[in-house]
Amino acid sequence: MRRHSLVLRIVGCLFLAQIIAFPIAWLVTIGIGLTGVEFFATSLDELSAIRAKKQIIASLAMNEDKMLEIRPTPDLLEDLKRAPAMKFAAFRSLSRDPVAGSSPELIAMLKPLIEISPTHVHFILPGDPSAIRAGLMEPEWTPFGRLHIAVYGQKFRWGDIFDAAIEETRWLTAYLVMAILMSAGAAWFAVRWGLRPLRRVAVQASRIDMNSLDQRLDANDVSSEVGPLVDAVNDALARLDAGVARQRRFTSNAAHELRTPINVLGVRLDAPEEPTFKNDLKRDHRRIRNIVEQLLASARLDQQSTKLDHTIDLVALTRTIIADAALLALKGRRQIVLDAPRAPVLIEGNRPALESVISNVIDNALRAEPEGGTVHVGVAENATIEVIDHGGGVEETDRDLIFEPFWRKNDSIPGTGLGLAIAKELIDAHRGRIWVEDTPGGGATFKLWFPAATSETHANLNNAHSASRTNARS
């Protein structure tokens, strides 16, 4: 499994953010300056000063007398045509003398400033009060030594933006490098320090196994960002602990439940001369087989092998189950009646699973119903089934326990205690609910609710019925 370092990822993101932020901040500053804000006030023509200085440097040459002069290049001449008022000058940094070819007006205005060897000067010539920082003079290294280059009145070109950006980057390179290095170091330290509680939690988690699922991760001192993860892991551990405990109880109860009929079977085999020997063996076989089948059904539920991809009519399914249970009801001198709408009540699910659920609940109701009584089964349009008996009922304190595997109120109650537990798991798999209420006058009312089928399922079923009627006519 490939893993990525969170520290390196954060440092990389911070580095990239700074690289992107610098040009954006520079462009924003230029934009603010173009609006005329006092401190940032600038103009597009000011951005062309860098190009103009390069043209002046490129125009420097020695004449026949070995004297330095400004001999305009074609590029500089072209710019002079675009900006007739453009002026330029060059001064020797040591002697403070102007270079031949410099603008006399600039020489007269800037000669006094050269004496103090300025490093960066913006200026405006007299008579040009509307200009914003129209002129620039600063020292430059040239093929002829260090000179002070001055330009004034140059005109903007779109390429000047790139020249200005490169120049700003050159000046700020050291700052950017140091800022990035310091930010990377600070981010590395902050992340490493901030993740210490998470590493401590990871050590705790590594010590948890199947025999220590009751342990929980310490959520103290973890950050608010990591806290939800720790809480989610603790919740998962709690669910896992409960599930393992349930499985252990299930295994223990299953062994206990099987031990009794097996012991009885062993006793019978020691007395084969008993006249009821064969029938007793068959009865023991049926009991053991019933327990094993219910255990297998529960195991299949744990494997999530139940497919819920069929459209089922609850009314038709319940009517079929009641028809099968009617003979059992008559033998027990009981009656069973169905109250259901004529229209189908459709849900999506697994037909064998739902048959098991409804059959289990109806079978329990018939065993609880007193002789001569009637079990009422109702199907409502909201996909709810009611199974009403008039027996001893279920005490309120037992209404959650009856859905636990192998739970029985006492050993005198027949059965394995798996029927309702499996029924609940199957209903949970269908995203439904099962619960029990009191029957008015005494008894228990089991209610089963299922999510109704979607409108698309209804439409498909109607189309299928229409197609069947069409085929029947043809």
Side-chain angles (χ1 to χ4, degrees), residues 276-345:
T276 60
F277 176 73
K278 187 174 182 180
N279 290 333
D280 291 340
L281 285 183
K282 288 182 178 180
R283 184 169 62 251
D284 294 338
H285 167 261
R286 284 196 300 270
R287 183 178 180 186
I288 294 174
R289 184 184 63 184
N290 184 42
I291 294 174
V292 171
E293 286 179 350
Q294 289 182 316
L295 290 174
L296 288 175
S298 180
R300 292 190 189 101
L301 287 175
D302 291 337
Q303 296 172 4
Q304 297 183 350
S305 59
T306 305
K307 295 182 179 180
L308 313 175
D309 53 359
H310 297 96
T311 301
I312 300 167
D313 179 7
L314 277 184
V315 175
L317 179 62
T318 306
R319 184 176 286 115
T320 300
I321 295 172
I322 288 178
D324 294 338
L327 181 60
L328 180 63
L330 290 175
K331 286 184 177 180
R333 293 189 292 275
R334 296 166 178 84
Q335 295 183 8
I336 182 170
V337 296
L338 173 65
D339 180 18
R342 294 184 178 180
V345 177

Side-chain angles (χ1 to χ4, degrees), residues 88-110:
F88 48 84
F91 298 88
R92 294 182 182 275
S93 296
L94 294 178
S95 64
R96 312 295 199 262
D97 294 331
V99 175
S102 298
S103 169
E105 188 175 359
L106 290 185
I107 293 175
M109 295 299 301
L110 300 177

Side-chain angles (χ1 to χ4, degrees), residues 56-70:
I56 302 304
I57 293 173
S59 299
L60 294 173
M62 289 291 186
N63 58 20
E64 294 80 359
D65 299 329
K66 304 298 182 181
M67 298 293 294
L68 187 62
E69 66 177 5
I70 300 176

Side-chain angles (χ1 to χ4, degrees), residues 56-330:
I56 302 304
I57 293 173
S59 299
L60 294 173
M62 289 291 186
N63 58 20
E64 294 80 359
D65 299 329
K66 304 298 182 181
M67 298 293 294
L68 187 62
E69 66 177 5
I70 300 176
R71 192 180 300 164
T73 62
D75 288 342
L76 180 56
L77 292 174
E78 183 180 349
D79 266 11
L80 289 171
K81 291 180 181 178
R82 292 179 63 249
M86 179 178 174
K87 300 175 178 60
F88 48 84
F91 298 88
R92 294 182 182 275
S93 296
L94 294 178
S95 64
R96 312 295 199 262
D97 294 331
V99 175
S102 298
S103 169
E105 188 175 359
L106 290 185
I107 293 175
M109 295 299 301
L110 300 177
K111 181 68 166 144
L113 292 178
I114 295 300
E115 298 299 327
I116 61 175
S117 188
T119 58
H120 190 88
V121 175
H122 288 280
F123 61 90
I124 301 173
L125 293 179
D128 192 8
S130 62
I132 301 177
R133 308 201 318 183
L136 172 65
M137 182 177 69
E138 58 185 0
E140 297 284 349
W141 286 102
T142 74
F144 304 97
R146 190 168 183 267
L147 302 177
H148 274 79
I149 307 296
V151 293
Y152 187 90
Q154 65 279 354
K155 293 298 182 183
F156 171 76
R157 288 182 179 178
W158 286 109
D160 295 337
I161 294 178
F162 299 101
D163 290 336
I166 293 172
E167 183 72 7
E168 292 287 344
T169 303
R170 183 174 68 86
W171 280 104
L172 295 175
T173 297
Y175 164 78
L176 286 175
V177 171
M178 290 305 300
I180 290 173
L181 291 178
M182 292 297 292
S183 298
W188 182 87
F189 175 78
V191 174
R192 293 287 297 179
W193 181 81
L195 291 181
R196 284 189 307 169
L198 187 59
R199 288 194 294 272
R200 173 173 52 79
V201 168
V203 172
Q204 294 175 357
S206 67
R207 297 171 181 164
I208 298 176
D209 55 22
M210 293 297 292
N211 296 320
S212 58
L213 289 174
D214 58 326
Q215 297 184 22
R216 298 293 178 266
L217 304 181
D218 186 5
N220 296 324
D221 298 329
V222 298
S223 64
S224 58
E225 293 80 9
V226 178
L229 174 61
V230 176
D231 293 340
V233 172
N234 282 336
D235 291 342
L237 287 173
R239 293 192 298 271
L240 184 60
D241 187 21
V244 170
R246 188 165 55 251
Q247 288 298 322
R248 287 172 177 167
R249 290 196 306 270
F250 182 90
T251 303
S252 175
N253 290 332
H256 175 76
E257 196 72 28
L258 284 169
R259 183 175 60 183
T260 300
I262 290 175
N263 289 338
V264 171
L265 180 62
V267 172
R268 297 192 196 286
L269 291 175
D270 290 336
E273 66 280 358
E274 292 291 331
T276 60
F277 176 73
K278 187 174 182 180
N279 290 333
D280 291 340
L281 285 183
K282 288 182 178 180
R283 184 169 62 251
D284 294 338
H285 167 261
R286 284 196 300 270
R287 183 178 180 186
I288 294 174
R289 184 184 63 184
N290 184 42
I291 294 174
V292 171
E293 286 179 350
Q294 289 182 316
L295 290 174
L296 288 175
S298 180
R300 292 190 189 101
L301 287 175
D302 291 337
Q303 296 172 4
Q304 297 183 350
S305 59
T306 305
K307 295 182 179 180
L308 313 175
D309 53 359
H310 297 96
T311 301
I312 300 167
D313 179 7
L314 277 184
V315 175
L317 179 62
T318 306
R319 184 176 286 115
T320 300
I321 295 172
I322 288 178
D324 294 338
L327 181 60
L328 180 63
L330 290 175

Side-chain angles (χ1 to χ4, degrees), residues 28-44 132:
V28 169
T29 303
I30 295 297
I32 294 174
L34 293 176
T35 62
V37 176
E38 184 64 26
F39 183 75
F40 299 95
T42 187
S43 67
L44 290 175
I132 301 177

